[in-house]
């Protein structure tokens, strides 16, 4: 079946996945990935915690509905920062079930290669998502300018709209952000948690 794809400077057009991934077809594939430790923490905060405390950077009210870990994670669902850190450490110790297929807990390479069906060796650009908004903005400008060939000022205008150097692009983006990058040291406080 066809998918809708945006071609910069052109109208929408129905294209197939085969047309997109065909070598020499003119399509440029790009992916932004996150630090795996930050991504795991973000998934845990999003799917395994219960809070309404904006200071924590997470505001999920379903409290563990989609958490792959065991429900005996010290306190479940964890509510306070201390409970969350202890539950995260217990979660890491218990190991992620190998048969668990929730999107947020799968490897990024598997999502790109299997779900998107994009060959990793065909990626024209690989970016690293981070909490540093200025760095993200610059990567998007680079992607649009160097990889896609847009004039630098046009690339910067698109980046300003969708990846601003400060704040969030929309209220939805702000609501979805957990600030995991600023919480890494708190949750990965012990070396064995990382190992």
């Amino acid at each position: 079946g066809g998918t809708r794809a945006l071609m910069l400077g052109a109208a929408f057009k129905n294209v197939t996945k085969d047309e997109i991934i065909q070598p020499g077809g003119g399509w440029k594939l790009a992916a932004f990935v996150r630090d795996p430790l930050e991504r795991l923490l973000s998934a845990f905060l999003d799917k395994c915690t219960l809070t309404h405390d904006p200071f924590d950077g997470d505001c999920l009210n379903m409290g563990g509905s989609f958490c792959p870990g065991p429900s005996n994670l010290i306190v479940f669902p964890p509510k306070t920062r201390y409970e969350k850190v202890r539950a995260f450490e217990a979660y890491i110790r218990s190991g992620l079930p190998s048969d668990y297929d929730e999107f947020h807990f799968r490897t990024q390479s598997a999502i790109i290669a299997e779900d998107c069906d994009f060959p990793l060796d065909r990626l024209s650009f690989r970016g690293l998502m981070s909490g540093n908004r200025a760095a993200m903005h610059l990567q998007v400008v680079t992607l649009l300018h160097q990889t896609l060939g847009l004039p630098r000022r046009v690339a910067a205008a698109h980046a300003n709209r969708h990846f601003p150097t400060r704040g969030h692009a929309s209220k939805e983006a702000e609501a979805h952000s957990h600030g995991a990058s600023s919480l890494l040291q708190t949750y990965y406080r012990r070396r064995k948690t990382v190992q």
Side-chain angles (χ1 to χ4, degrees):
T3 59
R4 289 179 58 88
L6 172 64
M7 299 181 337
L8 293 172
F12 282 105
K13 169 187 167 184
N14 284 329
V15 295
T16 66
K17 177 189 62 151
D18 290 337
E19 288 176 300
I20 293 172
I21 64 171
Q22 177 183 0
W27 287 91
K28 303 283 186 181
L29 306 178
F32 281 86
V33 296
R34 292 175 78 176
D35 174 290
L37 296 177
E38 180 182 329
R39 186 168 184 268
L40 179 61
L41 174 59
S42 178
F44 177 83
L45 292 174
D46 187 43
K47 303 300 177 193
C48 303
T49 64
L50 176 64
T51 185
H52 296 287
D53 183 359
F55 177 76
D56 276 345
D58 45 280
C59 55
L60 186 73
N61 58 13
M62 292 184 285
S65 300
F66 301 102
C67 186
S71 60
N72 61 351
L73 297 176
I74 315 288
V75 176
F76 194 83
K79 296 176 185 166
T80 68
R81 170 74 60 92
Y82 179 71
E83 289 173 348
K84 289 177 191 179
V85 171
R86 290 185 61 216
F88 182 68
E89 289 169 344
Y91 168 76
I92 295 299
R93 280 193 307 273
S94 71
L96 186 64
S98 60
D99 61 345
Y100 194 72
D101 201 30
E102 209 284 330
F103 177 81
H104 292 84
F105 294 93
R106 292 187 59 222
T107 64
Q108 296 166 98
S109 59
I111 292 169
I112 295 167
E114 297 167 13
D115 297 357
C116 300
D117 206 15
F118 290 165
L120 295 173
D121 62 346
R122 282 281 323 283
L123 292 175
S124 301
F125 183 89
R126 291 170 196 85
L128 178 64
M129 292 179 64
S130 74
N132 182 334
R133 298 200 186 286
M136 278 296 306
H137 176 84
L138 184 58
Q139 287 183 83
V140 173
V141 171
T142 301
L143 162 68
L144 296 174
H145 176 64
Q146 292 179 358
T147 306
L148 299 181
L150 291 181
R152 190 155 186 78
R153 70 174 176 71
V154 173
H158 282 293
N160 287 338
R161 180 173 175 205
H162 300 288
F163 292 89
T165 57
R166 291 191 200 130
H168 295 85
S170 67
K171 295 273 187 210
E172 293 82 11
E174 182 177 12
H176 189 72
S177 176
H178 301 289
S181 61
S182 65
L183 299 171
L184 285 174
Q185 286 187 322
T186 301
Y187 282 83
Y188 290 104
R189 63 187 179 158
R190 297 184 177 148
R191 184 179 200 110
K192 64 183 177 182
T193 304
V194 177
Q195 297 170 339

